[in-house]
Amino acid sequence: MTAFFTPSPEVAEAFADGRPVVALESTIITHGMPYPDNLTTARAVEDTVRESGATPATIAVLEGSLHVGLTDTQLETLAQAKGVAKLSRADLAACMARGGTGATTVASTMIAARLAGIEVFATGGIGGVHQGADQSFDISADLQELAQTPVTVVAAGAKAILDLNKTLEVLETLGVPVVAMGQDSLPAFWSATSELKAPLRMDTAPEVARAHRLRRAMGIPGGQLIANPIPATLEIPPHEMAPVIAQANADADAMGITGKEVTPFLLSRIYDLTGGRSLKANIGLVLNNARLAAEIATQLVKIS
Ligand code: PSU
Ligand code: MN
């Protein structure tokens, strides 16, 4: 197994001791936030996981090796690197085969987490069905991954740049549980609530952990999406985000942005349009997700 991945010393120790580990992705670092906020956020997310009693494992491919857990120096190098590849399910093995360096998305982080035996993963927001997908066919590979890889993903819902309604429909078709934490409404990334009702609701980390274990015991493939709302004090309300999101999507269309560039473009455009406020909210929600993921990982160790 270890032929496929390299654990950091901290992660190797946690594995050896049977302590809870939380996987973290790296595309949010290289493509989701500008330097140096990306680095301070990545460190703060790791520290939040530690303070909550678990070990963080940030995942990335460095010169062909799949790293599960990065040293602080590796984290810093990645956060400053230019032209890092964005690796989804399709790209992961190809990047490793060619000795490349790349950051993992939700989909490829789930693959790496499963290889390493990590059951919980915290991020900001998953990818999903883009607005205008009826024309562009732009649907994130994150959704298919949730359908087949048994990792519980804690996110603030799907990113609100997406068509959230269609994203929910696809997740339903794929049989992915979408669980709102502590509320009925589906969180919308920068906003704590949306007009959409979440298909499922849970209120505690032990419930999430029990459902994860039951799915495994019953042989149900795939993971769970835990939609954890941004803390109310940090949110940007939906009526403020709606015109900004519409503008960013219109700009992406006008500039002919396609493929892997769409999500990074939209996030950075929204950063400009909100004068940096979207980034503050994004950082807050990721930290909040890291905390919940650590609680779930801790519960999973207790009931394994
Ligand atoms: N969450 C964030 N910022 C991000 C992402 C998630 O707060 O940048 C990344 C994740 O890696 C996710 C990716 O998998 O955006 C979605 O990209 P796409 O829509 O191209 O599948
Ligand atoms: Mn896409």
Side-chain angles (χ1 to χ4, degrees):
M1 249 206 356
T2 41
F4 294 121
F5 70 93
T6 311
S8 66
E10 185 189 14
V11 168
E13 218 175 278
F15 284 159
D17 297 348
R19 284 186 277 115
V21 178
V22 171
L24 301 166
E25 61 150 307
S26 46
T27 294
I28 188 170
I29 302 172
T30 55
H31 294 72
M33 292 183 185
Y35 181 82
D37 302 84
N38 62 347
L39 180 58
T40 47
T41 303
R43 285 178 172 149
V45 171
E46 291 203 344
D47 284 340
T48 301
V49 171
R50 291 187 190 102
E51 284 156 19
S52 310
T55 299
T58 303
I59 290 171
V61 176
L62 306 179
E63 293 167 10
S65 297
L66 177 58
H67 286 264
V68 174
L70 301 180
T71 64
D72 193 64
T73 312
Q74 288 169 332
L75 200 63
E76 191 168 346
T77 306
L78 190 70
Q80 292 181 6
K82 300 237 176 354
V84 176
K86 177 177 163 186
L87 308 176
S88 191
R89 158 174 278 262
D91 322 288
L92 184 60
C95 178
M96 291 166 67
R98 288 167 57 85
T101 290
T104 52
T105 63
V106 168
S108 54
T109 303
M110 289 179 76
I111 293 170
R114 178 182 49 78
L115 276 174
I118 302 171
E119 296 175 292
V120 187
F121 159 28
T123 182
I126 63 159
V129 182
H130 280 269
Q131 295 184 21
D134 50 332
Q135 293 295 318
S136 67
F137 277 46
D138 189 349
I139 302 177
S140 176
D142 293 353
L143 302 185
Q144 291 282 354
E145 206 59 53
L146 277 160
Q148 50 185 313
T149 301
V151 174
T152 286
V153 179
V154 182
K159 283 188 277 286
I161 50 176
L162 302 164
D163 186 325
L164 293 183
N165 221 337
K166 289 195 178 73
T167 301
L168 273 188
E169 291 293 345
V170 171
L171 287 167
E172 183 184 67
T173 302
L174 295 172
V176 175
V178 178
V179 180
M181 228 26 219
Q183 65 183 33
D184 295 325
S185 147
L186 184 76
F189 200 66
W190 300 283
S191 311
T193 58
S194 69
E195 285 170 358
L196 299 170
K197 188 175 183 298
L200 296 164
R201 169 185 175 149
M202 290 186 194
D203 292 279
T204 66
E207 289 172 357
V208 176
R210 278 202 299 278
H212 182 104
R213 278 280 170 274
L214 279 167
R215 292 172 59 85
R216 191 178 70 175
M218 293 190 288
I220 302 172
Q224 315 186 90
L225 175 60
I226 307 303
N228 190 30
I230 182 172
T233 49
L234 299 174
E235 79 154 353
I236 310 179
H239 71 268
E240 283 182 49
M241 281 316 293
V244 171
I245 291 167
Q247 178 70 53
N249 272 309
D251 293 347
D253 272 352
M255 292 174 67
I257 310 285
T258 57
K260 283 173 186 289
E261 275 85 57
V262 174
T263 296
F265 173 87
L266 291 174
L267 290 175
S268 115
R269 191 75 190 101
I270 289 170
Y271 172 87
D272 291 338
L273 291 167
T274 59
R277 215 173 137 212
S278 64
L279 179 62
K280 284 213 178 67
N282 198 345
I283 294 169
L285 66 86
V286 179
L287 295 175
N288 191 47
N289 295 340
R291 220 169 287 123
L292 176 59
E295 280 174 39
I296 296 167
T298 304
Q299 287 301 320
L300 280 169
V301 166
K302 284 189 187 158
I303 60 174
S304 58

